[in-house]
Amino acid sequence: MLFLLGTANRMGSLRLQCSKQYCNLYDLTTSEDTFTYQYIPQHVEVLCIENTVMEHIDHAILEGVPSSIQVLIITNAFALRWISVPWAVKQLMITTTNLRRMDIEANNSLSYLAVTVCDLVKVPDSIKHARGLEWLHITSCKLLGLNIASLCDNVRLGVLSLRRNKIRYVVNTSTRHCGLYDALASVTLSENLLTTVSMELFNVLVRMDGLYLHNNRIRTLAGQLIHGALAVLRMDGNKLSSVDLCGWTVPSLVSLMLDRNNLTAVPLCVNHFTNISLLSMRSNRLSNFTIESVAGMSSLRELDLSCNTLKTVMLSTAHFPADLEMLNIDYNNLEALDLSFVPVRSLEVYVSYNLISSFDACGASRNVSKLLMYDNFIICAWHTSSVRERARCNKTDGSVRRLRNGEFCYG
């Protein structure tokens, strides 16, 4: 069903266009134009206000939105700089504006707030009035920093995402226990301008199971993270040259991503992290590696060391992560590979795009269930144990195809 209303307007054509699930209101100019709300069908739950030319959307504009509307979207409002949010708005999405100020009425009903492409330089002070807020996303705006204290009274906030801003610092100036501490489960600060992060700031967020700090400019991780719930930590795409995990206590951590940094060695004390199942250090500056450096990681299943500068890898040792299932060392500088002793039940090894000219396939451990060794001076591969019996390794003419710094490593 399509419902269309048109009327002459000083600034253009005011239009209300409705379908079965949503309505679009175009070219809203003044509070007088809100008479169109009366034509919104009762079954519609989503209202999108588009191309408004107002600099300030005040209470008079939004308080008349029908109570049946569950999601309010304001988009492509390039003149918009200030919005006043009445108490009845439940879910609000604001995208592609020049928004600089947001006033949220006390005892607000907001549960979801997403602001994308705007001029906000800080989390609005009035966010404290949205005590029922569960999701807060501010993306591609101009936030300069995060003070955790500004969210102290948001006792139901479970997801905080401040991606792609200009955040240079994270602090917490609160001098009291915040209700936020017992609610926040996911924190995303990726694609910002952070250079130093005090990890101890996150210790108070006792329910946080995901911390996403990737694609910043982080050179230093200060303080010790002591956290019982954290399961996923992303620090890939930064400028870390070393990581010291000594003194950290994160018993629930299962995924640690350190790709695309400047690391020359595995993190100090990572061997003590017995619950991590995925450790990824792709695209760093590792030149030598021994499996013994992660042998204490008894739950480790996937280890990715691809796209480094590895010249030597020592794998044939009894000190081996007991549950390791996959090892990726593609795109390195290995000249030799020894898989004669692999003390796990089944291991997949990926070692293409190296310089390997020395490899004893017949002497390789039967526990190597899968081997992909393409684009080396010796090409050797098997996908299953049965295929391995018929597999043959072939020497090449030396023209190893290299895609160094290519899409695979840095895409």
Side-chain angles (χ1 to χ4, degrees):
M1 180 186 74
L2 183 64
F3 181 82
L4 181 62
L5 173 69
T7 184
N9 186 279
R10 292 192 309 273
M11 301 300 293
S13 177
L14 176 65
R15 291 179 295 139
L16 177 66
Q17 183 175 320
C18 295
S19 65
K20 186 176 180 179
Q21 297 178 338
Y22 61 88
C23 285
N24 285 80
L25 179 57
Y26 298 95
D27 301 315
L28 192 69
T29 303
T30 70
S31 60
E32 294 178 357
D33 294 337
T34 60
F35 78 92
T36 53
Y37 293 162
Q38 65 185 302
Y39 297 103
I40 297 175
Q42 292 184 353
H43 65 269
V44 169
E45 295 185 348
V46 180
L47 173 62
C48 179
I49 299 175
E50 188 167 353
N51 296 334
T52 179
V53 296
M54 291 181 290
E55 291 190 11
H56 180 200
I57 294 181
D58 59 18
H59 285 78
I61 299 293
L62 299 182
E63 63 186 359
V65 171
S67 59
S68 60
I69 297 298
Q70 301 298 308
V71 180
L72 178 62
I73 303 170
I74 299 173
T75 185
N76 295 330
F78 301 105
L80 183 63
R81 286 167 171 74
W82 177 12
I83 187 170
S84 300
V85 184
W87 69 271
V89 176
K90 303 175 182 68
Q91 299 184 48
L92 178 60
M93 300 172 63
I94 305 171
T95 179
T96 316
T97 70
N98 288 307
L99 187 69
R100 299 174 184 175
R101 175 178 172 181
M102 176 179 290
D103 296 335
I104 299 174
E105 191 174 31
N107 301 315
N108 199 277
S109 301
L110 269 179
S111 62
Y112 179 95
L113 175 60
V115 185
T116 305
V117 186
C118 73
D119 288 339
L120 288 174
V121 296
K122 67 174 183 176
V123 175
D125 294 335
S126 61
I127 203 75
K128 62 187 177 185
H129 294 151
R131 295 179 63 89
L133 190 65
E134 298 176 8
W135 299 70
L136 175 59
H137 299 260
I138 302 178
T139 304
S140 298
C141 292
K142 299 178 180 179
L143 301 185
L144 299 176
L146 170 63
N147 187 347
I148 295 173
S150 67
L151 301 168
C152 192
D153 295 321
N154 296 102
V155 297
R156 295 185 180 179
L157 186 62
V159 176
L160 174 64
S161 179
L162 305 179
R163 292 176 51 245
R164 208 175 297 149
N165 283 278
K166 300 180 182 297
I167 295 174
R168 296 178 180 273
Y169 64 87
V170 180
V171 297
N172 185 5
T173 60
S174 179
T175 57
R176 60 185 174 92
H177 181 84
C178 296
L180 174 77
Y181 298 166
D182 302 314
L184 196 55
S186 176
V187 177
T188 300
L189 298 172
S190 59
E191 299 177 77
N192 279 287
L193 303 176
L194 294 168
T195 57
T196 300
V197 178
S198 297
M199 300 302 291
E200 57 199 6
L201 286 172
F202 302 103
N203 291 344
V204 296
L205 304 176
V206 294
R207 288 197 57 207
M208 182 181 67
D209 57 20
L211 178 57
Y212 305 93
L213 301 173
H214 52 289
N215 296 338
N216 276 276
R217 301 176 181 180
I218 300 172
R219 297 179 182 274
T220 305
L221 298 176
Q224 297 174 342
L225 188 61
I226 300 175
H227 204 289
L230 186 66
V232 178
L233 177 57
R234 285 194 60 178
M235 294 187 291
D236 45 302
N238 281 289
K239 297 182 179 298
L240 294 165
S241 58
S242 64
V243 174
D244 185 353
L245 302 179
C246 300
W248 285 32
T249 303
V250 281
S252 298
L253 190 65
V254 296
S255 178
L256 177 59
M257 300 189 67
L258 294 165
D259 305 338
R260 294 179 292 113
N261 278 281
N262 298 319
L263 298 174
T264 58
V266 298
L268 294 175
C269 297
V270 73
N271 220 4
H272 301 157
F273 287 57
T274 56
N275 288 313
I276 289 181
S277 60
L278 168 63
L279 174 60
S280 187
M281 297 182 62
R282 175 182 168 187
S283 297
N284 277 279
R285 298 182 180 180
L286 303 178
S287 58
N288 299 286
F289 174 77
T290 170
I291 198 70
E292 293 181 345
S293 63
V294 294
M297 303 178 72
S298 54
S299 298
L300 186 64
R301 288 180 170 81
E302 298 182 34
L303 176 60
D304 191 345
L305 303 176
S306 61
C307 299
N308 277 276
T309 58
L310 288 170
K311 295 181 179 180
T312 62
V313 169
M314 198 276 280
L315 301 174
S316 295
T317 173
H319 301 291
F320 211 94
D323 286 345
L324 191 65
E325 298 174 352
M326 190 279 289
L327 173 63
N328 189 342
I329 42 181
D330 288 339
Y331 293 92
N332 278 285
N333 295 324
L334 297 178
E335 297 181 356
L337 182 65
D338 181 3
L339 296 175
S340 59
F341 183 66
V342 176
V344 293
R345 185 174 61 181
S346 177
L347 180 66
E348 297 180 1
V349 179
Y350 300 84
V351 66
S352 297
Y353 298 101
N354 277 271
L355 302 170
I356 296 173
S357 59
S358 175
F359 175 64
D360 181 4
C362 295
S365 169
R366 294 291 175 179
N367 294 330
V368 180
S369 56
K370 181 177 181 178
L371 174 68
L372 296 185
M373 195 170 76
Y374 297 113
D375 289 278
N376 283 276
F377 293 112
I378 294 178
I379 294 177
C380 200
W382 59 80
H383 294 266
T384 65
S385 299
S386 59
V387 171
R388 173 180 175 161
E389 300 300 325
R390 304 187 302 273
R392 292 187 177 182
C393 297
N394 299 308
K395 290 188 176 181
T396 69
D397 61 3
S399 57
V400 177
R401 182 164 59 95
R402 308 286 279 172
L403 297 178
R404 186 69 59 201
N405 299 328
E407 182 178 350
F408 177 82
C409 288
Y410 299 100

